[in-house]
């Protein structure tokens, strides 16, 4: 099993609640690529965003090969993103103030 | 085109709200052949949770739990309390699809409940042959409130040409969008405006300066610079240039002068409104458009009246200043409304007055604007460029406020977009000192 995880300074933490959350999971007994695609995943946000992309693979290499049959494959993919707005900072600072004893 | 064979079923959880969720747009050619055998959901009754236990399903459940608890699993949803079932530990989807459930919409807490939920619990397909070209998928959330707030967030996935065979497929998907955060942002922006009406009043104050400085006219105005109403300058300059072409070289100089002057008017108004914030900045963009159009039309009249030439541009600008000043006096209180609508209307009304005054004055008497006005406008343009080249990351209204209040911008920390110094920062710095 291989797991890919992109780590960025502005990565969304596990604790943060995303505004948009997309998760997919596929299991297959046999998987065979005749043509290997190029893939691209990106996030957008206005005014800004924090995001994270988590993927998991079982019995599937990071780079698949055409014409090879992979068996008992599982792929999980989850993308999460949250808007970042200047008002968030004010909000969190206010919360911090109010939480002080 | 590819056939998308999926099953979609509303989850047990409430699905409501006004979000905008889009997914799976196949923008390319392709085809797919598949034979699908979707497992029919078993009927479940509340309270009969334990009746479905079989050795096979128990094994599946154990495997599922192991998957979920596996370190690094992207589908480990915090707590696993089994949702809000009243009669047992498993959610309704889990009970119905417990052989397949890999994702757990019911295992998220109440506070995480999405406003938009697309839950595709399981799709079982015996065999799929895919031939796809340029599959584009996008899940996004957009929110706009007038011209004040524009928010969006989303994920894009792009798949180039792909051809594959899959056998024994089990697929599952969850799409969720939450609006709480978006709502909170919008609420906070509006609350900020409500609590700080001076942000909107600053519009009026700046325009008022425009009026008071009508005699010196363009000098004061030219110190301001902004983006929003720059179209005024461009439109006016172009229009008056046409006048110059029609009436001769002398009038062309007048046109250039008037163009520069009006452009500076735009800069001043734009800089003032810019302080309202990024959302208000967009609102002022509309002002800019309006002013641009108005000025273009007005100065179009200049072209018609070119034979009558170019008399009282100074006077017209004076009238313009008076009009804007009066408007600002009346509009300053508009900030108490606590939202950007009043500010936008104010700026639009100012734009109308500006355009009207320019048009009437320029049409009737655009005669005596002489070399002095042209030189003045050139000086103003140079000054404006110097301001633009300023090292401070500050709005020009903030620069002006700092000069007036004697505040050292090096000591001011910006709170605007990308740390930009705005008038509010200058005022706060002055209060601290």
């Amino acid at each position: 099993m291989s797991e890919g995880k992109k780590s960025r300074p502005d990565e969304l933490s596990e604790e943060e609640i995303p505004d948009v959350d997309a998760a997919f999971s596929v299991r297959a007994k046999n998987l065979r690529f005749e043509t290997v695609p190029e893939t691209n995943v990106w996030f957008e946000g206005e005014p800004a965003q924090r995001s994270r992309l988590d993927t998991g693979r079982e019995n599937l290499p990071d780079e698949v090969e055409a014409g090879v049959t992979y068996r008992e494959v599982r792929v999980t993919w989850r993308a999460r993103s949250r808007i970042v707005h200047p008002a968030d900072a004010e909000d969190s600072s206010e919360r911090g103030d109010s939480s002080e004893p | 085109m590819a056939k998308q064979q999926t099953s979609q079923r509303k989850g047990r959880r409430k699905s409501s709200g006004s979000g905008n969720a889009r997914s799976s747009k196949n923008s390319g050619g392709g085809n797919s052949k598949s034979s699908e055998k979707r497992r029919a959901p078993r009927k479940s009754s509340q309270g009969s949770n334990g009746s479905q236990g079989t050795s096979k399903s128990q094994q599946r459940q154990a495997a599922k739990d192991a998957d979920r608890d596996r370190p690094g699993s992207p589908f480990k949803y915090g707590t696993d309390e089994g949702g809000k079932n009243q009669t047992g530990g498993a959610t309704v989807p889990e009970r119905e699809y417990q052989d397949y459930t890999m994702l757990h919409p019911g295992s998220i807490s109440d506070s995480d409940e999405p406003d938009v939920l697309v839950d595709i619990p399981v799709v079982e397909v015996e065999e799929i042959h895919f031939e796809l070209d340029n599959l584009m998928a996008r899940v996004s959330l957009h929110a706009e409130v007038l011209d004040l707030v524009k928010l969006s967030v989303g994920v894009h996935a792009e798949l180039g040409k792909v051809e594959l065979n899959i056998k024994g497929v089990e697929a599952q998907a969850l799409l969720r969008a939450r609006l709480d955060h978006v709502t909170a942002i919008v609420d906070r922006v509006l609350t900020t405006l409500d609590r700080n009406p001076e942000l909107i009043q600053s519009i009026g104050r700046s325009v008022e300066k425009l009026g008071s400085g009508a005699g010196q006219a363009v000098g004061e105005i030219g110190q301001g610079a902004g983006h929003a109403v720059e179209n005024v300058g461009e439109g006016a300059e172009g229009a008056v240039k046409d006048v110059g072409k029609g009436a001769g070289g002398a009038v062309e100089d007048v046109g250039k002068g008037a163009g520069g002057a009006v452009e500076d008017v735009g800069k001043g108004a734009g800089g003032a409104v810019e302080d309202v914030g990024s959302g208000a900045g967009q609102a002022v963009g509309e002002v800019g458009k309006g002013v641009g159009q108005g000025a273009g039309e007005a100065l179009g009249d200049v072209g018609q009246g070119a034979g009558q030439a170019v008399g009282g541009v100074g006077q017209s600008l004076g009238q313009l200043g008076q009009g804007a000043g009066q408007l600002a006096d009346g509009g300053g209180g508009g900030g108490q409304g606590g939202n950007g609508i009043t500010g936008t209307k104010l700026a639009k009304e100012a734009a109308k007055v500006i355009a009207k005054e320019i048009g009437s004055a320029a049409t009737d008497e655009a005669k005596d604007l002489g070399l002095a006005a042209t030189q003045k406008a050139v000086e103003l343009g140079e000054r404006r460029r110097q301001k633009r080249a300023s090292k401070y990351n500050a709005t020009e209204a903030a620069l002006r406020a700092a000069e007036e209040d004697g505040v050292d911008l090096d000591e001011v920390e910006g709170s605007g977009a990308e740390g930009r110094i705005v008038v509010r920062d200058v005022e706060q710095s002055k209060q601290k000192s």
Side-chain angles (χ1 to χ4, degrees), chain B residues 129-150:
Chain B
H129 175 75
F130 269 117
E131 290 182 33
L132 295 173
D133 224 351
N134 295 327
L135 177 69
M136 295 281 294
R138 184 174 75 170
V139 179
S140 61
L141 170 66
H142 298 272
E144 288 187 41
V145 179
L146 301 176
D147 290 323
L148 284 174
V149 183
K150 184 176 182 182

Side-chain angles (χ1 to χ4, degrees), chain A residues 1 3 14 17-49 54-56 58 74 76-85 87-88 90-91 94, chain B residues 60 67 70-72 74-75 77 100 102-103 111-112 136 138-142 150-178 181-182 185 188-189 192 195 282:
Chain A
M1 172 184 172
E3 298 206 1
E14 281 282 1
I17 299 174
D19 297 319
V20 172
D21 189 344
F24 301 95
S25 178
V26 176
R27 265 195 282 214
K29 291 180 180 175
N30 291 325
L31 173 62
R32 177 188 176 92
F33 285 90
E34 303 298 340
T35 302
V36 178
E38 290 185 1
T39 62
N40 190 17
V41 177
W42 70 96
F43 296 92
E44 67 169 7
E46 184 175 345
Q49 46 81 22
D54 298 291
T55 61
E58 292 180 10
R74 174 173 176 168
T76 55
W77 185 95
R78 187 181 184 192
R80 286 170 277 184
S81 192
R82 179 181 173 88
I83 294 170
V84 175
H85 191 274
D88 288 335
E90 297 176 23
D91 196 29
E94 283 193 5
Chain B
R60 291 270 195 167
D67 279 345
R70 186 179 65 245
F75 303 104
Y77 286 97
Y100 299 100
M102 294 176 282
L103 312 175
S111 61
D112 291 344
M136 295 281 294
R138 184 174 75 170
V139 179
S140 61
L141 170 66
H142 298 272
K150 184 176 182 182
L151 303 169
S152 72
V153 64
V155 57
H156 298 249
E158 187 177 36
L159 204 62
K161 181 177 176 58
V162 60
E163 182 179 355
L164 78 165
N165 288 298
I166 319 177
K167 292 181 180 177
V169 182
E170 295 173 15
Q172 189 176 1
L174 270 180
L175 303 175
R176 290 179 295 203
R178 299 178 181 85
H181 182 216
V182 172
I185 292 173
R188 179 157 290 280
V189 170
T192 299
R195 293 176 179 173
Q282 294 177 355

Side-chain angles (χ1 to χ4, degrees), chain B residues 21-106:
Chain B
R22 286 175 283 184
S23 66
S24 292
K25 176 187 174 187
N26 185 1
S27 61
N31 62 74
S32 69
K33 296 177 290 186
S34 66
S35 60
E36 175 181 350
K37 184 184 75 176
R38 182 173 178 217
R39 183 159 296 198
R42 290 186 292 268
K43 281 194 173 181
S44 65
S45 59
Q46 302 283 346
S48 60
N49 185 42
S51 64
Q52 297 172 2
T54 65
S55 59
K56 182 183 175 186
S57 64
Q58 287 172 350
Q59 291 172 359
R60 291 270 195 167
Q61 185 68 35
K64 175 195 70 180
D65 292 341
D67 279 345
R68 197 190 323 162
D69 297 337
R70 186 179 65 245
S73 169
F75 303 104
K76 190 174 180 181
Y77 286 97
T79 60
D80 186 13
E81 301 297 332
K84 299 188 297 181
N85 291 314
Q86 298 175 352
T87 57
T91 64
V92 172
E94 282 176 332
R95 287 202 303 272
E96 292 184 351
Y97 299 99
Q98 61 180 301
D99 284 355
Y100 299 100
T101 303
M102 294 176 282
L103 312 175
H104 300 272

